[in-house]
Amino acid sequence: MRVSSTLLFLLPLLVSLSCAEFSAKVGVNYGTLGNNLPKPAKSVELIKRLKAGRVKLYSAQPDILRALNGTNLQVSIMVPNEVISNISSNQSLANEWVQTNVVAFYPDTLIRYLLVGNEILSYMGPADKITWFNLVPAMRKIKFALKTFNLHNIKVGTPLAIDAIEPTFAPSNATFRSDIAVPVMKPLLQFLNKTKSFFFLDCYPYFMWAANYKNINLDYALFQGGMTYTDPVSGLTYTNLLDQMIDSIVFAMRKLGYPDIRIWICETGWPNAGDIDQIGANVYNAATYNRNLVKKLTTKPAIGTPARPGAVLPTFIFALYNENQKPGPGTERHWGLLYPNGTNVYPIDLSGKTPLSSYEPLPKPHNNEPYKGKIWCVVAKGANMSELGAAIAYACGQGNHTCDALQPGKKCYKPNLLILHASYAFSSYWAQLRSQGATCFFNGLAVQTTKDPSYGSCKYPSVTLP
């Protein structure tokens, strides 16, 4: 059916009015992948100190839910990926999950959102793809379970990463990936639209900028200006990268016939540190991004995005803590607003009431340009020596001839010291397999260094960055 030009003109206004009453409180993601994090009661105190209005949990941990009892923090709980398929075909199991993890704590704990899975459409294994098609049935079962227990104020959704759309720079060109658009996204959007829920989006300008730092101005990614971008089709002009990414989802939804589903930024943030080979991960950029983000989100009247001017964008910042047990590159362990001891990585007020000009000057960034030179992967200071043997065995079992130099009689066998052999194995493994996604971590046993650990005729392999 052809929509009149008058109606098209009014759509942004209608979206703005429909969102105007929804709270713009900024929340925080409370992850627990650390062995040195405060107890839940203390963590709740710290969340309040940050003046967060909401909190998202990655699982329904009873001790955390009890700690949130009696607070005014709105709570989101995640249904684990691994139970999606079972719940999708078993209403009794869905009822049991809701009774155990929601009813037992509600309404004293203000549970408002159930998020089924976490970025499930980003996993590409054969078993994962089966789960894709169980996602919406599982969401329906969870929604029905909520109705069974007369819980009508709890929305059901699922967080998706930006890779749910085909790569594009112009938002107007955005479409959902061809493997999920019709079989998964269309029924998902139908469910969200029918239940008046949200499209929960994990959206990280950091990753897009870091992968394209030569073409995307850093200030543009940090809400600091630096450039503008005009979409060649829509004619909309963008002043920051986050809006551009959000509107890509808006246009992709429009193309499937769902132009009005509200967007919730389920995760966003900027890493405050990272590995030597990771660009732009520092306290200056993290504080600048998150402070400017809060200012944008809490401005009244709401700013919205170019495609949805005036729309409220509820948001969870990632994350509460630097979590030292998260796997992957160094940035994964450095997204926190707080250190594990509860002190601020940098001061921030999530209510948006603290003027940006009142903050103390930040330390100047040192890695906004890529490191050039050699990097090695060696045993980290304080590493658990009892775990090194298994780590060496793993590293030496990967790649081609990874640890030949450690064999008796070879150049790096002597001195036969565990820490030297481990550092060689880590460096050799990483040098061979970094291009395939390998990291220098080994469950916290390894760290990158620019100091050559080679000795005598024993030369440690390295990664060389141009």
Side-chain angles (χ1 to χ4, degrees):
M1 182 175 66
R2 190 165 184 262
V3 182
S4 72
S5 58
T6 302
L7 183 55
L8 285 171
F9 174 79
L10 288 174
L11 276 176
L13 176 62
L14 293 173
V15 171
S16 173
L17 291 174
S18 67
C19 297
E21 297 179 358
F22 189 76
S23 168
K25 291 179 181 177
V26 178
V28 67
N29 286 276
Y30 178 5
T32 57
L33 293 179
N35 60 9
N36 55 357
L37 302 180
K39 299 293 184 184
K42 177 62 175 178
S43 295
V44 171
E45 290 180 16
L46 294 170
I47 291 168
K48 291 179 179 178
R49 191 185 74 188
L50 290 169
K51 299 180 183 178
R54 301 181 169 99
V55 60
K56 190 184 92 181
L57 309 179
Y58 287 88
S59 62
Q61 294 177 240
D63 53 347
I64 297 178
L65 289 169
R66 282 192 290 268
L68 289 164
N69 185 314
T71 70
N72 62 354
L73 291 165
Q74 294 185 3
V75 180
S76 297
I77 304 175
M78 195 165 283
V79 180
N81 288 357
E82 56 267 22
V83 305
I84 289 174
S85 292
N86 289 337
I87 284 178
S88 71
S89 58
N90 190 328
Q91 186 62 56
S92 295
L93 189 60
N95 293 352
E96 180 183 335
W97 196 94
V98 168
Q99 185 170 29
T100 301
N101 298 295
V102 181
V103 176
F105 304 96
Y106 186 90
D108 295 329
T109 299
L110 297 178
I111 300 168
R112 288 290 181 266
Y113 308 95
L114 292 185
L115 304 176
V116 181
N118 189 25
E119 299 186 353
I120 192 64
L121 301 183
S122 298
Y123 295 93
M124 297 293 179
D128 300 315
K129 291 185 178 182
I130 293 173
T131 307
W132 293 357
F133 300 99
N134 293 328
L135 176 60
V136 176
M139 294 171 70
R140 293 189 186 117
K141 292 288 195 299
I142 291 291
K143 185 65 177 177
F144 189 85
L146 290 170
K147 290 180 180 178
T148 299
F149 292 105
N150 293 315
L151 302 177
H152 300 290
N153 294 324
I154 298 177
K155 299 291 186 185
V156 176
T158 186
L160 299 181
I162 198 69
D163 65 4
I165 59 173
E166 301 283 4
T168 180
F169 197 70
S172 63
N173 289 337
T175 59
F176 289 109
R177 294 192 332 246
S178 59
D179 55 344
I180 60 173
V182 174
V184 182
M185 291 308 306
K186 198 151 191 176
L188 172 60
L189 296 177
Q190 182 182 39
F191 172 86
L192 299 177
N193 189 61
K194 181 179 179 181
T195 61
K196 296 180 172 59
S197 189
F198 297 81
F199 189 109
F200 289 91
L201 174 65
D202 292 352
C203 192
Y204 289 98
Y206 168 75
F207 291 120
M208 181 172 282
W209 168 77
N212 301 276
Y213 68 91
K214 291 182 178 179
N215 300 315
I216 300 176
N217 187 289
L218 176 59
D219 284 340
Y220 183 70
L222 297 175
F223 305 99
Q224 296 278 84
M227 63 173 276
T228 60
Y229 171 75
T230 300
D231 187 302
V233 176
S234 70
L236 297 173
T237 297
Y238 292 85
T239 60
N240 66 81
L241 188 54
L242 180 69
D243 281 354
Q244 204 175 328
M245 297 170 75
I246 293 170
D247 278 359
S248 294
I249 297 295
V250 172
F251 280 99
M253 289 194 294
R254 284 182 186 177
K255 288 169 185 172
L256 286 184
Y258 294 93
D260 300 325
I261 295 173
R262 296 173 293 178
I263 289 178
W264 188 306
I265 306 175
C266 213
E267 288 183 11
T268 192
W270 197 282
N272 56 65
D275 291 327
I276 296 168
D277 62 341
Q278 293 186 287
I279 185 175
N282 55 63
V283 168
Y284 184 94
N285 292 347
T288 301
Y289 178 86
N290 283 326
R291 289 172 180 173
N292 284 335
L293 171 70
V294 170
K295 179 183 177 183
K296 169 184 169 63
L297 296 173
T298 57
T299 295
K300 294 181 180 180
I303 297 172
T305 68
R308 288 185 173 177
V312 171
L313 288 168
T315 298
F316 294 113
I317 290 179
F318 188 85
L320 181 59
Y321 296 116
N322 282 350
E323 299 170 59
N324 69 350
Q325 292 183 315
K326 291 195 69 180
T331 49
E332 286 300 301
R333 294 172 289 284
H334 293 92
W335 291 89
L337 302 177
L338 304 176
Y339 293 111
N341 64 7
T343 60
N344 290 82
V345 177
Y346 46 86
I348 189 167
D349 172 7
L350 298 187
S351 74
K353 294 179 181 178
T354 300
L356 296 181
S357 59
S358 69
Y359 290 115
E360 294 292 323
L362 292 161
K364 293 299 180 182
H366 58 83
N367 61 351
N368 284 346
E369 294 291 333
Y371 173 81
K372 295 180 180 180
K374 292 184 176 182
I375 310 174
W376 292 264
C377 182
V378 298
V379 174
K381 183 179 179 180
N384 188 336
M385 295 296 108
S386 66
E387 297 178 2
L388 285 182
I392 292 172
Y394 173 79
C396 293
Q398 310 298 312
N400 295 313
H401 308 288
T402 304
C403 296
D404 283 3
L406 297 178
Q407 299 303 312
K410 299 290 185 175
K411 291 182 178 180
C412 296
Y413 177 70
K414 289 185 178 181
N416 186 10
L417 298 177
L418 182 66
I419 194 166
L420 293 180
H421 281 203
S423 289
Y424 182 93
F426 293 169
S427 280
S428 184
Y429 163 87
W430 188 51
Q432 275 198 52
L433 301 175
R434 178 178 178 270
S435 63
Q436 300 175 37
T439 62
C440 175
F441 181 56
F442 291 92
N443 293 325
L445 299 176
V447 66
Q448 294 180 16
T449 181
T450 57
K451 183 178 180 180
D452 188 352
S454 303
Y455 56 91
S457 61
C458 176
K459 304 302 181 184
Y460 282 49
S462 65
V463 167
T464 301
L465 300 182

